[in-house]
Amino acid sequence: MSIEFTIWRITLTAYERAAEAGALGPERVAVEEAVSKDWDVLARILADGRVPLPVTGAARAIAGGEVLPEDDLDNGGTRVLSPALVREVAGDLAELGDADIESRYLTVDFTDCYGTNEGGAHASPVENYLTSFHRLRQFYTEAAKSGDAMAVWLG
């Protein structure tokens, strides 16, 4: 079984429609699929451990937002982040550097994390997660500059 993970930039109008309807429409500004295989490991790296509930800090880039109740709720469903929250998350991501990602990669407990081997052993080298982190950070930075909202889908 595989879990799909996708992030879309959406306009403020698309965000408002989704929030009102409870489901995401077809409008998309851009898509980032590069983190699709690294999403759970990267979320734990960003959270510096297990992702807290409610989700805080940089981990909101992957696990934050409001769930759209009328959308596909398969493995977590579709969540949306307002333009204001996108700006906050972009700021949180900007505060992290490569040394932070590398250090957390070595110290975080990845037990039962999707994308690791049995017992939470790393399935990929840290360079893969650095690349995913850079792509994610750039995607949020561009969205924040454009005033876009974000939709995150885990299905």
Side-chain angles (χ1 to χ4, degrees):
M1 181 179 115
S2 139
I3 299 176
E4 293 182 46
F5 177 80
T6 307
I7 302 174
W8 297 284
R9 284 175 48 195
I10 59 175
T11 65
L12 172 61
T13 302
Y15 166 79
E16 290 171 339
R17 283 187 199 137
E20 185 177 318
L24 187 63
E27 310 92 355
R28 311 282 194 272
V29 173
V31 63
E32 176 56 68
E33 295 174 313
V35 299
S36 64
K37 294 181 181 175
D38 299 332
W39 68 270
D40 199 12
V41 171
L42 191 55
R44 290 195 194 192
I45 289 171
L46 294 175
D48 202 9
R50 292 204 177 265
V51 177
L53 292 176
V55 184
T56 59
R60 296 178 296 177
I62 293 175
E66 299 293 322
V67 174
L68 295 176
E70 300 300 322
D71 219 294
D72 179 12
L73 298 176
D74 189 18
N75 282 308
T78 304
R79 289 171 279 112
V80 291
L81 291 82
S82 70
L85 184 53
V86 167
R87 286 189 299 277
E88 284 182 40
V89 171
D92 292 337
L93 293 170
E95 291 178 9
L96 295 173
D98 289 3
D100 298 307
I101 302 304
E102 292 171 0
S103 173
R104 292 173 182 192
Y105 170 85
L106 295 172
T107 59
V108 166
D109 179 6
F110 294 105
T111 304
D112 299 325
C113 187
Y114 185 80
T116 59
N117 296 323
E118 191 170 319
H122 298 113
S124 299
V126 69
E127 290 80 15
N128 289 27
Y129 301 111
L130 281 168
T131 298
S132 291
F133 168 68
H134 293 158
R135 301 270 313 248
L136 183 70
R137 184 174 58 188
Q138 183 63 34
F139 199 64
Y140 269 86
T141 298
E142 290 171 2
K145 286 180 182 177
S146 297
D148 289 332
M150 203 71 76
V152 178
W153 181 68
L154 188 60

